[in-house]
Amino acid sequence: MTPRDRLSPTAALEALVLPAIDHVDLVTVKLPFVAPFGTSVHVWTDKEAMLMRLESGGVTAWSECVSDPDPYYACETNTTARHIIRDFLLPLVEPGITLGELETRLRHVRGHGMAKATVENALLILIAMQRGVALHELLGRPAKKIPSGLSIGLQDTQDALLMAVERAVARRYHRVKMKVRRGQDVDWVRAVRDRFPDVPLMVDANGDYTLADADHLRQLDEFNLTMVEQPLSYSDIIEHASLQRAMKTAICLDESIHGLADTAAAISIGACRVINVKQGRVGGLLESMRIAHYAAGLGIDVWSGGMDETGIGRAVNIHLQTAEGFTLPGDTSETASYFDEDIVDQRVVLDADGFIDIPRGPGIGARVVPELILKRTIRAERLR
Ligand code: OSB
Ligand code: MG
């Protein structure tokens, strides 16, 4: 380890040299969810995921873009990501340059972190596969068991919510997150707390409230929640600082954080005490590692969010959580919580203690099954 590695968790990764790429494809798949997934913004009934496929010297690597077909979580969509990747990002990918040089080039494109992450992840996975190592090894991280967390979407009735929490507790999930929205919050949390006094519990509002709701939100302080995620607008940081001063419960930012700079700003003004890192939202694995490393230095907890990914993105999130600074269980759940049938050959399952094993094998570990991709494909385009 060089002194630079000690300063930056990504120095060795920035020095990786990009291989020549023979083919690049974008393949959009659509997988039905086992049950609709509702947030305060939208209800999704299936996962429409745009995948990137790289072929290089006989090795094939797949990555997953975490955008949705719609802009209801983030402003990026599968269509904007396709446009940005095809017309602006892919032309910047050249054999022989380093990953650090590529990141510098990608910075000329403003925003579009999910599109950038798709390209960067595909290259990292390809390089790992060519070296015959697992993604976490390429990231310089030892294998470990990953703690689990379930995100329970908005339910139609409190009984349905209680049943969902009961199932999560029985599966030994390490923490349970429930979605809330205006009019479906304090009473619903109380119902869960009355029945499950000890379960590590948190709520996620996906930006449904305003500062005018501060008194209302303060009622959540009595339920010993581990945190409240993104109570205020998806684009706000400063009002979260006001709310955090008014609440005992820790605030966690999700939608508002697009990179290390946002993280530093949010922490410095006291807008949150926890950060949800979604590798796609922040532009990839390297930026995720920088955020987690930075937050760890300030004693701020970080966990990996999820975008109800297929087995490809789910595996990437698992590998990421071996990195320094991921201190809390994330939104990493069993494949079965979303899909009856996935597109990879290994399903994510919890062991008897609720932990998740890192998929074994080079790259993401799990193998992408061409027949399952074919079965689910709704669009495919060869870019190179
Ligand atoms: O806010 O974390 C969120 C899913 C889609 C969009 C936004 C969010 C979520 C989740 C599910 O909460 C996380 C997961 O299980 O992958
Ligand atoms: Mg969230």
Side-chain angles (χ1 to χ4, degrees):
M1 199 187 244
T2 68
R4 200 160 164 246
D5 289 334
R6 238 169 272 132
L7 284 178
S8 157
T10 56
L13 294 166
E14 286 157 33
L16 291 172
V17 176
L18 304 191
I21 311 288
D22 303 321
H23 290 294
V24 181
D25 298 277
L26 293 179
V27 178
T28 305
V29 292
K30 190 167 171 171
L31 281 68
F33 281 151
V34 292
F37 185 79
T39 72
S40 63
V41 187
H42 188 65
V43 181
W44 287 273
T45 54
D46 40 50
K47 180 70 198 177
E48 190 182 309
M50 190 175 70
L51 312 176
M52 174 176 256
R53 179 181 179 279
L54 298 183
E55 220 181 289
S56 167
V59 177
T60 301
W62 292 85
S63 69
E64 173 173 352
C65 185
V66 304
S67 55
D68 288 310
D70 51 72
Y72 303 139
Y73 167 75
C75 60
E76 289 186 83
T77 69
N78 291 344
T79 306
T80 70
R82 173 182 298 278
H83 162 53
I84 294 295
I85 289 172
R86 184 186 51 205
D87 297 338
F88 297 101
L89 305 184
L90 203 55
L92 302 176
V93 178
E94 263 184 77
I97 69 168
T98 64
L99 197 58
E101 169 64 14
L102 177 64
E103 274 196 304
T104 303
R105 293 182 178 192
L106 295 184
R107 268 183 217 115
H108 293 193
V109 173
R110 304 301 163 94
H112 297 286
M114 294 176 176
K116 290 172 181 171
T118 307
V119 174
E120 189 188 90
N121 292 353
L123 289 166
L124 282 167
I125 293 164
L126 174 65
I127 292 169
M129 291 177 80
Q130 289 181 332
R131 295 180 175 199
V133 301
L135 183 57
H136 70 85
E137 288 178 84
L138 187 72
L139 300 180
R141 302 299 301 174
K144 64 176 253 202
K145 281 181 189 294
I146 305 301
S148 61
L150 184 67
S151 175
I152 299 175
L154 290 171
Q155 301 293 307
D156 291 336
T157 65
Q158 290 189 3
D159 275 346
L161 173 61
L162 290 170
M163 275 165 57
V165 176
E166 187 167 356
R167 277 195 299 273
V169 170
R171 295 297 296 145
R172 302 224 191 292
Y173 273 101
H174 294 126
R175 70 101 169 105
V176 173
K177 159 168 141 181
M178 55 182 277
K179 295 288 187 181
V180 292
R181 63 174 168 183
R182 290 163 165 278
Q184 190 170 341
D185 46 30
V186 176
D187 295 340
W188 294 62
V189 173
R190 181 177 293 112
V192 172
R193 251 306 166 241
D194 283 351
R195 180 92 161 267
F196 304 94
D198 302 320
V199 68
L201 182 69
M202 59 173 288
V203 297
D204 185 359
N206 291 102
D208 208 33
Y209 299 91
T210 72
L211 256 193
D213 300 310
D215 285 338
H216 177 74
L217 289 169
R218 245 206 315 255
Q219 296 177 75
L220 293 172
D221 279 343
E222 69 174 281
F223 301 116
N224 188 29
L225 302 177
T226 56
M227 69 196 83
V228 47
E229 181 177 345
Q230 199 71 35
L232 308 180
S233 169
Y234 71 93
S235 60
D236 170 77
I237 293 180
I238 191 114
E239 292 191 346
H240 278 97
S242 304
L243 182 63
Q244 183 65 91
R245 282 193 292 275
M247 285 188 86
K248 276 195 304 187
T249 309
I251 289 177
C252 169
L253 289 180
D254 171 356
E255 284 91 330
S256 300
I257 302 296
H258 300 277
L260 181 58
D262 292 336
T263 303
I267 293 172
S268 75
I269 64 167
C272 62
R273 299 209 287 266
V274 185
I275 302 273
N276 166 340
V277 167
K278 290 183 182 170
Q279 51 79 19
R281 196 191 63 236
V282 302
L285 293 169
L286 271 60
E287 191 72 355
S288 300
M289 292 172 77
R290 292 183 192 111
I291 291 171
H293 173 80
Y294 175 84
L298 297 172
I300 296 285
D301 283 310
V302 168
W303 51 276
S304 168
M307 288 295 288
D308 32 56
E309 289 96 338
T310 76
I312 299 173
R314 199 167 292 271
V316 167
N317 294 343
I318 291 170
H319 285 275
L320 171 62
Q321 288 172 77
T322 61
E324 179 209 353
F326 284 84
T327 50
L328 294 175
D331 279 343
T332 310
S333 64
E334 294 187 298
T335 304
S337 62
Y338 287 102
F339 307 111
D340 280 332
E341 186 180 68
D342 201 342
I343 50 178
V344 297
D345 68 346
Q346 294 177 47
R347 291 171 77 77
V348 174
V349 292
L350 307 191
D351 69 17
D353 298 317
F355 284 93
I356 294 168
D357 263 330
I358 298 174
R360 301 286 150 160
I364 61 170
R367 194 178 70 86
V368 177
V369 182
E371 299 75 44
L372 295 173
I373 296 273
L374 213 57
K375 175 176 173 184
R376 301 295 181 189
T377 297
I378 58 170
R379 179 174 180 169
E381 184 181 0
R382 174 148 288 189
L383 300 184
R384 242 195 228 175

